[in-house]
Amino acid sequence: MTTSVMTNDTRAKEYINSVFEQLKQKNAHQPEFLQAAEEILFSLTPVVAQHPEYIEHNILSRIVEPDRIISFRVAWQDDNNQVQVNRGYRIQFNNVIGPYKGGLRFHPTVNESIMKFLAFEQIFKNALTGQPIGGGKGGSDFNPKGKSDAEIMRFCQAFMSELYRHIGPDVDVPAGDIGVGAREVGFMWGQYKRLRGAYEAGVLTGKKPGYGGSLARKEATGYGLVYFTAEMLREKGESFLNKTVVVSGSGNVAIYAIEKAQHYGAKVVACSDSAGYIYDPEGIDLAAVKEIKEVKGDRIHTYLNYRPNAEYHEGCTSIWTIPCDIALPCATQNEINSESARILVANGTKFVAEGANMPSDLEAINIYLENDIYFGPAKAANAGGVAVSALEMAQNSSRTAWSFNKVDEKLQDIMKSIYTESKEAAEKYGYAGNLVVGSNIAGFVKVADGMVAEGVY
Ligand code: NDP
């Protein structure tokens, strides 16, 4: 290593440390946001060392500060005519390469820290897709569980009654996430259309195909995760065929990850919800899971009514004690800690790829990397959903509707190229095999170069 490269490296480290220290001071009560920022910032050291212009333009201090944070009251009436109040959010983080884009989450745990971590991750994920979309995220601490359809509709309408003034097809394009599926998107879309008095289909993605939604959007995140993992497997001379797979969650991402993994010949033996998990050594009966979750909206323990020989276990974390070749966490953030990661290592798991956002904490990621688990981080591995959302926007603005196969083929191409870009960036900067560093750098460079080109504002 030459002296000047060493100097650049030290300078980059000092710069990143100082950015992160300031971030900690300003956001002391936002652990999830700091966790996401720490993971990304420190992995950028090699690229910052080679690009002094990023320090000159103070790109990192700028990229960790959202363009704006919108927080608002959502008042709505429940079925007993009681007025309920929730808090709504939209974080418009970065629009350098396109309109803000990212889902809406309705879950009681939603707060500003979680919104910011998700929106921050979204910047880099969206850049990785190669589509013209910036980073954003939103949601509410509203709990949709146990609510009637009419209550969900009134909440969604009340939520959109404020949000509509901040979004638009060229401004900010929300979509679904936890607790927000096609039904909720439909209610919000209807309200937006009434308030705007115009048919701006590209303002929301995840709509049903009959009114501007894209075929294959529902499947996109789960299928995309499996396409990405298939590339990881190929790299090591392996495939899904006859592999044992554990998937956490039983929502949108989990269900379609299971579907595609089974299609590729894997045996998926477990999935979960927030109360517990099922273990079916014969292989999950996906039709039963779909009926429980998509049709009945029921709990995963009722799977035993379909398959009495399967097991149900209360609690979620011990799902990772089930021996598997491939682990696909598809439920929520921080569901794999160091203890679970060590168990995966001890059980001989060779691949972990993230369907959920930030399901592995920082210690867990380090354990994968130190123990030769090939790891696909969320922002690369689960980018299929937002990639197809961008394809939905393209269909909306050209007033066309593509076939399922056309969208699915594009999704496969996008996931392959995200994998290749991440792998090559890792190699270029001296971290061969580390897709965390590779995906962070590959996404960051696109946004950072755009920020340099735009100038300071
Ligand atoms: P869903 O609401 O459809 O499903 C979420 C699943 O995770 C449910 O099975 C839920 O169980 C479970 N879950 C929620 N909270 C917890 C918890 N604290 N512990 C254990 N399990 C929990 O959401 P999605 O499938 O859409 O999203 C799952 C993850 O994937 C999220 O991290 C999301 O941000 C990410 N993601 C989603 C995309 C999409 O296109 N939908 C795109 C990219 C990322 P229960 O039913 O009991 O609540």
Side-chain angles (χ1 to χ4, degrees):
M1 198 183 271
T2 66
T3 313
S4 85
V5 171
M6 276 176 65
T7 308
N8 285 345
D9 198 50
T10 309
R11 197 166 161 236
K13 280 184 181 146
E14 279 175 8
Y15 172 58
I16 290 171
N17 271 327
S18 80
V19 171
F20 189 60
E21 281 309 309
Q22 282 179 25
L23 198 70
K24 280 201 292 194
Q25 280 171 21
K26 284 189 189 170
N27 301 277
H29 302 296
Q30 300 191 341
E32 294 86 1
F33 174 52
L34 290 176
Q35 181 183 337
E38 184 177 0
E39 189 247 278
I40 290 180
L41 287 176
F42 288 97
S43 72
L44 299 175
T45 309
V47 72
V48 172
Q50 289 191 28
H51 291 268
E53 71 273 20
Y54 296 156
I55 302 182
E56 275 161 41
H57 290 259
N58 201 2
I59 294 295
L60 294 188
S61 296
R62 290 161 59 195
I63 212 167
V64 294
E65 199 60 39
D67 288 354
R68 64 194 62 80
I69 296 174
I70 299 153
S71 161
F72 52 96
R73 181 191 65 237
V74 187
W76 56 284
Q77 239 169 339
D78 67 19
D79 287 345
N80 299 318
N81 292 327
Q82 299 297 306
V83 177
Q84 304 289 342
V85 179
N86 286 97
R87 185 170 292 174
Y89 295 96
R90 188 69 186 166
I91 313 289
Q92 297 180 333
F93 220 120
N94 187 298
N95 68 351
V96 165
I97 57 178
Y100 306 105
K101 180 92 197 82
L104 297 170
R105 176 177 291 191
F106 292 168
H107 195 272
T109 56
V110 161
N111 58 35
E112 195 173 304
S113 171
I114 289 184
M115 292 285 97
K116 280 174 68 181
F117 117 63
L118 289 164
F120 186 61
E121 288 271 316
Q122 200 82 43
I123 303 170
F124 307 95
K125 179 188 308 193
N126 292 1
L128 273 175
T129 67
Q131 308 288 310
I133 41 180
K137 198 85 187 186
S140 172
D141 57 2
F142 171 73
N143 185 359
K145 281 209 185 91
K147 302 289 189 301
S148 69
D149 271 6
E151 287 175 324
I152 300 274
M153 182 184 75
R154 288 195 293 274
F155 177 81
C156 288
Q157 290 175 343
F159 183 82
M160 187 50 83
S161 295
E162 171 59 31
L163 186 66
Y164 87 99
R165 70 188 77 244
H166 306 289
I167 62 175
D170 297 320
V171 179
D172 182 354
V173 182
D177 190 72
I178 290 180
V180 179
R183 175 182 61 165
E184 291 74 17
V185 168
F187 291 145
M188 288 189 272
W189 157 241
Q191 184 73 345
Y192 179 87
K193 185 159 56 76
R194 276 186 290 278
L195 291 167
R196 296 288 299 167
Y199 200 98
E200 298 173 349
V203 69
L204 279 169
T205 59
K207 302 179 294 295
K208 283 195 176 150
Y211 50 92
S214 176
L215 291 171
R217 173 61 187 89
K218 183 175 68 170
E219 293 82 358
T221 308
Y223 278 20
L225 169 67
V226 172
Y227 295 147
F228 187 90
T229 312
E231 293 303 303
M232 294 169 61
L233 286 155
R234 196 192 321 275
E235 185 80 35
K236 307 285 179 187
E238 307 261 16
S239 78
F240 268 101
L241 190 63
N242 297 328
K243 293 286 187 307
T244 301
V245 180
V246 167
V247 174
S248 63
S250 51
N252 173 255
V253 179
I255 284 177
Y256 292 95
I258 295 172
E259 183 165 281
K260 188 51 75 176
Q262 289 182 338
H263 177 76
Y264 280 172
K267 189 203 260 188
V268 182
V269 293
C271 68
S272 60
D273 63 19
S274 55
Y277 67 91
I278 49 162
Y279 173 50
D280 189 342
E282 300 302 312
I284 294 285
D285 176 352
L286 186 60
V289 173
K290 281 188 177 178
E291 187 169 305
I292 293 165
K293 288 291 168 182
E294 293 189 332
V295 181
K296 296 182 176 166
D298 214 338
R299 311 305 299 160
I300 201 67
H301 68 77
T302 62
Y303 183 82
L304 299 195
N305 299 338
Y306 299 78
R307 303 271 282 215
N309 290 335
E311 296 169 18
Y312 174 71
H313 298 264
E314 291 280 341
C316 300
T317 49
S318 49
I319 193 172
W320 306 117
T321 62
I322 300 170
C324 62
D325 304 303
I326 303 166
L328 302 177
C330 296
T332 194
Q333 63 271 4
N334 292 327
E335 47 169 314
I336 305 186
N337 58 14
S338 55
E339 195 186 330
S340 298
R342 280 199 195 91
I343 294 171
L344 288 170
V345 171
N347 283 343
T349 301
K350 286 284 171 235
F351 299 87
V352 177
E354 298 182 322
N357 283 313
M358 207 166 77
S360 312
D361 71 16
L362 289 171
E363 285 183 14
I365 293 173
N366 287 333
I367 290 168
Y368 307 147
L369 297 177
E370 286 159 10
N371 287 280
D372 213 23
I373 285 185
Y374 199 23
F375 172 58
K379 73 175 66 62
N382 76 17
V386 75
V388 170
S389 278
L391 301 180
E392 183 174 332
M393 290 164 70
Q395 292 170 73
N396 292 156
S397 58
S398 59
R399 298 185 196 276
T400 50
W402 301 342
S403 69
F404 186 99
N405 284 346
K406 177 167 176 175
V407 179
D408 191 34
E409 275 167 24
K410 284 183 183 287
L411 171 64
Q412 291 182 49
D413 288 346
I414 291 170
M415 297 313 295
K416 278 183 194 162
S417 92
I418 292 175
Y419 177 78
T420 307
E421 273 190 38
S422 301
K423 185 185 98 130
E424 289 178 356
E427 284 163 1
K428 179 174 173 191
Y429 289 96
Y431 284 80
N434 184 332
L435 298 175
V436 177
V437 170
S439 62
N440 286 346
I441 290 180
F444 169 78
V445 165
K446 297 183 193 189
V447 182
D449 289 347
M451 290 172 78
V452 171
E454 272 190 1
V456 180
Y457 65 95

